[in-house]
Each structure stands twice: as C-alpha cells, then as structure tokens.
Amino acid sequence: MALWEFSAPNKHGMMRTRIVHTEGSLNTSPKFGSPQIARRFKYKYTHPIYPPMIWKHEGKTYLMPKWKEVLDGTTLDDIEWIKPKPTQPKQPVVKTFTSGSSDSVYETKYYPESGKYYCSCPGAWRSFGNCKHIKQMRKENE
C-alpha cells in the first residue's frame, strides 16, 4: 500500500490537500479539479530511541507512541523515522586559582550546557556555591 498526497486549488483559489492510499502504484486520482499535484506521502516521526508502531484501537489507526491519528491502512513503510543526530557534550571551562594565604590551588569549572559553576575551594560550600572564584568566572563569562 502507498499513501499519496494530492494538492489542487479549490474554486476559491486556496490549495486543498488530500491523502489517499492505493494498492501498488498510482493509477487514478481523486476527483478534484485540475491542475493537480501528486506526490508520495510519508508521515514524519521523530524520536531518538523508540521505533514507530501502528496501533488500531476502536476503529481508528494511530502512530505510536505519539498517539497521532493516521489514515486507515497505513503501514510502517508509510512512516519516515527521523532520528536526531547525537550531540557531543561541551567540555567545561576550567580555570585554576592559587590561594593567597596558602599554597593551595583551587579549580573552578563552568559547565556551558547547564550554566552551573563548581569550585573546589572551601569558600564555595560555605557561601552556597558563590565564592570569589565563581564570582570572578561569572563576570568573565558575561
């Protein structure tokens, strides 16, 4: 079975579209005025993990798991599964600070994806994540 999309202007000049299914190839077109545009139609389904499924329930046909109602007689060949491309996580911005009172070195990190900051100095947990190193890094990233 194949799904076909027919487009043609109605008597008011507005484009009207219908989706019909045929067995095999296209040999007849619905009666709609001419000129007509016919093209093969596929439902678009986007999900990174779950494959599309067809489910019939109470006389209706659904594209699952989106619960999109589709034309009766739709098969998996009539669905285009679009998988989003995985993105590489961004590396955190790392800056080191040397303590003024001791020889300790503190590492401050900024994670661009979440917008969060982390510092290894004792002042970070004392000030609830708002130490002078994080403040300086925030000022630089503005």
Side-chain angles (χ1 to χ4, degrees):
M1 161 160 4
L3 293 176
W4 293 91
E5 180 181 58
F6 287 94
S7 299
N10 64 11
K11 65 182 179 181
H12 304 291
M14 303 293 290
M15 287 301 281
R16 185 170 107 178
T17 303
R18 286 196 182 155
I19 299 170
V20 297
H21 66 275
T22 62
E23 296 292 330
S25 64
L26 179 68
N27 53 11
T28 61
S29 62
K31 300 221 173 195
F32 260 170
S34 60
Q36 292 183 11
I37 301 168
R39 68 177 181 95
R40 179 77 164 84
F41 178 79
K42 287 193 172 202
Y43 289 102
K44 302 219 181 326
Y45 171 78
T46 305
H47 199 281
I49 300 170
Y50 298 119
M53 299 180 295
I54 300 292
W55 188 48
K56 293 188 180 197
H57 180 66
E58 296 181 0
K60 294 185 178 181
T61 306
Y62 296 96
L63 172 59
M64 299 298 288
K66 300 270 184 178
W67 279 95
K68 180 177 182 178
E69 190 173 348
V70 295
L71 197 62
D72 192 30
T74 301
T75 64
L76 290 176
D77 294 331
D78 299 323
I79 299 169
E80 180 181 351
W81 184 11
I82 302 167
K83 295 181 188 177
K85 294 186 171 124
T87 59
Q88 294 292 332
K90 294 181 181 177
Q91 296 297 320
V93 179
V94 180
K95 195 167 185 184
T96 56
F97 294 94
T98 306
S99 173
S101 60
S102 66
D103 294 335
S104 300
V105 177
Y106 303 119
E107 192 174 77
T108 306
K109 295 179 183 179
Y110 168 62
Y111 296 91
E113 288 181 350
S114 64
K116 297 195 182 222
Y117 292 86
Y118 170 79
C119 186
S120 61
C121 77
W125 62 268
R126 285 189 190 134
S127 63
F128 302 103
N130 202 18
C131 68
K132 63 182 181 180
H133 310 116
I134 291 176
K135 285 179 185 176
Q136 183 180 347
M137 203 166 194
R138 275 196 185 118
K139 197 172 187 181
E140 292 171 3
N141 289 334
E142 286 181 346

